[in-house]
């Protein structure tokens, strides 16, 4: 069997990458992971070296390339004959496919207003009517799937399937933006946040170096702009003027401790080896906020 290689984007940002990554990890399928940092000057060029769509995730399996999160999960389900990828009952399967496709093709307002941010401290933000409508729809379909089909386990259709992989980042968004949930939806989001592979993803995301904010452009006032003279330029090519001067240099390279949850190790990518871990106390605080959000009060 050829090696599987999954090309993904930054773990803090790439919700689409999380889906097949989690599906692979959940099923303890061995794969190599190549992480291409998003939002960098060379991101597009680097993705295009592998992915014809210019997007990640992409799965490479021998000479076969699959470049879409849902298509990758489908390919894995077929190639590895994964049990529970879709429910066996035809009516439940049709429902599961519908909700997975609804996610894949929809919820644009939610995705735009609540961008995926794996390590965000759970805090609410004002929600527009369109975002609220997306949230209500997601809550209704989680509730219905869990109530009608979820008797055999904590996932939408009991066993962990492709529909769950598709909704994993949605559950993390609900938590990250402290969207009020209750009953089966709350239990579902909590189960997702507690999935060992999801925890590993978030741990690795916390190790990523954030993309520096661009320095604010000075706004010229009518009389405050001095004339530019030749003295404002330098002939010295090594002199960098006012670029990144406020950005803290990353600490010496450290390797993230990515433990083996599913019987194999993920090689840390070069990008991650120079990562700056989120301070332990900050991460602790974030986790306790998540706990207080997902656990019902005593
Ligand atoms: N429909 C695609 C969407 C993939 C997608 O939009 N990926 C984003 C990252 S989450 C991407 O590659 N963006 C390119 C970029 O940031 O340059 C899928 O399901 O895989």
């Amino acid at each position: 069997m050829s090696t599987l290689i999954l090309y993904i984007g930054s773990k803090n940002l790439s919700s689409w990458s999380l889906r097949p990554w989690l599906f692979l990890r959940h099923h303890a399928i061995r794969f190599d992971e190549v992480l291409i940092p998003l939002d960098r000057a060379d991101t597009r060029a680097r993705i295009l070296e592998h992915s014809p769509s210019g997007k990640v995730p992409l799965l490479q399996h021998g000479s076969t390339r699959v470049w879409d999160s849902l298509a990758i999960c489908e390919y894995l389900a077929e190639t590895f004959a994964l049990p529970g990828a879709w429910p066996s009952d035809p009516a439940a399967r049709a429902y599961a496919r519908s909700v997975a496709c609804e996610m894949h093709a929809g919820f644009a307002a939610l995705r735009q207003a609540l961008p995926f941010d794996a390590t965000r401290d759970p805090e609410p933000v004002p929600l527009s009517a369109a975002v609220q409508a997306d949230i209500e729809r997601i809550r209704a379909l989680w509730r219905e799937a869990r109530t009608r089909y979820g008797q055999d386990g904590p996932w939408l259709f009991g066993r962990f399937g492709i529909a769950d992989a598709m909704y994993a980042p949605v559950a993390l968004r609900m938590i990250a933006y402290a969207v009020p949930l209750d009953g089966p939806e709350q239990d579902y989001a909590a189960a997702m946040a507690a999935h060992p592979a999801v925890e590993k993803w978030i741990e690795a995301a916390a190790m990523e170096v954030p993309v520096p904010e661009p320095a604010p452009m000075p706004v010229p006032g009518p009389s405050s702009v001095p004339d530019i003279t030749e003295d404002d330029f330098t002939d010295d090519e090594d002199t960098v003027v006012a670029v990144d001067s406020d950005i803290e240099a990353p600490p010496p390279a450290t390797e993230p401790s990515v433990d083996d949850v599913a019987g194999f190790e993920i090689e840390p990518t070069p990008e991650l080896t120079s990562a700056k871990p989120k301070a332990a106390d900050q991460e602790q605080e974030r986790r306790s906020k998540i706990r207080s959000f997902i656990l019902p009060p005593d």
Side-chain angles (χ1 to χ4, degrees):
M1 174 77 65
S2 312
T3 307
L4 289 168
I5 305 171
L6 185 69
Y7 293 87
I8 60 173
S10 310
K11 288 186 172 159
N12 208 24
L13 305 173
S14 187
S15 58
W16 294 110
S17 300
L18 169 58
R19 295 168 167 101
W21 185 95
L22 173 58
F23 197 59
L24 281 159
R25 294 291 298 233
H26 179 85
H27 290 287
I29 297 169
R30 192 180 292 275
F31 66 104
D32 290 337
E33 168 185 321
V34 176
L35 187 148
I36 301 175
L38 299 184
D39 289 351
R40 305 277 165 94
D42 63 350
T43 297
R44 188 165 168 75
R46 289 185 64 185
I47 293 177
L48 278 169
E49 283 170 25
H50 310 283
S51 173
S53 68
K55 308 261 189 218
V56 281
L58 173 132
L59 182 77
Q60 176 97 42
H61 189 206
S63 59
T64 303
R65 287 192 297 179
V66 194
W67 59 89
D68 176 276
S69 56
L70 184 53
I72 295 170
C73 291
E74 292 278 17
Y75 176 81
L76 293 168
E78 285 175 6
T79 306
F80 294 91
L82 299 176
W86 296 114
S88 52
D89 171 68
R93 191 160 64 248
Y95 187 101
R97 286 204 159 112
S98 300
V99 301
C101 290
E102 188 172 346
M103 196 292 111
H104 194 237
F107 304 129
L110 175 107
R111 285 176 16 223
Q112 194 177 4
L114 311 183
F116 186 69
D117 180 349
T119 60
R120 186 175 199 272
D121 287 345
E123 293 291 345
V125 290
L127 303 174
S128 69
V131 176
Q132 198 61 57
D134 279 354
I135 289 170
E136 289 315 316
R137 173 65 193 140
I138 291 163
R139 290 183 60 171
L141 68 82
W142 283 358
R143 184 174 287 261
E144 190 176 18
R146 289 283 311 130
T147 317
R148 279 174 68 180
Y149 303 112
Q151 292 76 15
D152 296 338
W155 308 111
L156 290 177
F157 299 88
R159 302 169 84 172
F160 190 94
I162 292 179
D164 298 297
M166 295 311 289
Y167 279 94
V170 181
L172 296 187
R173 275 182 164 101
M174 297 287 194
I175 294 170
Y177 293 91
V179 174
L181 302 173
D182 54 37
E185 312 111 78
Q186 168 133 353
D187 295 344
Y188 179 66
M192 194 60 84
H195 190 300
V198 170
E199 290 203 328
K200 290 291 166 196
W201 176 279
I202 293 173
E203 254 174 47
M207 308 285 286
E208 287 176 356
V209 181
V211 180
E213 293 286 332
M217 295 290 285
V219 182
S223 59
S224 64
V225 185
D227 289 341
I228 295 175
T229 67
E230 275 187 16
D231 292 340
D232 289 309
F233 296 91
T234 174
D235 293 331
D236 181 355
E237 288 182 7
D238 290 327
T239 307
V240 178
V241 185
V243 175
D244 289 356
S245 54
D246 295 329
I247 297 165
E248 205 185 318
T254 54
E255 283 204 1
S257 67
V258 181
D259 295 334
D260 181 2
V261 272
F264 55 89
E265 296 267 350
I266 289 181
E267 287 298 319
T269 59
E271 286 76 19
L272 291 180
T273 55
S274 64
K276 178 185 178 190
K278 200 172 182 179
D281 50 345
Q282 264 180 294
E283 182 55 14
Q284 224 25 58
E285 196 182 325
R286 189 185 70 82
R287 279 166 183 256
S288 83
K289 282 190 191 170
I290 289 177
R291 266 196 299 280
S292 64
F293 175 72
I294 60 182
L295 296 178
D298 296 330

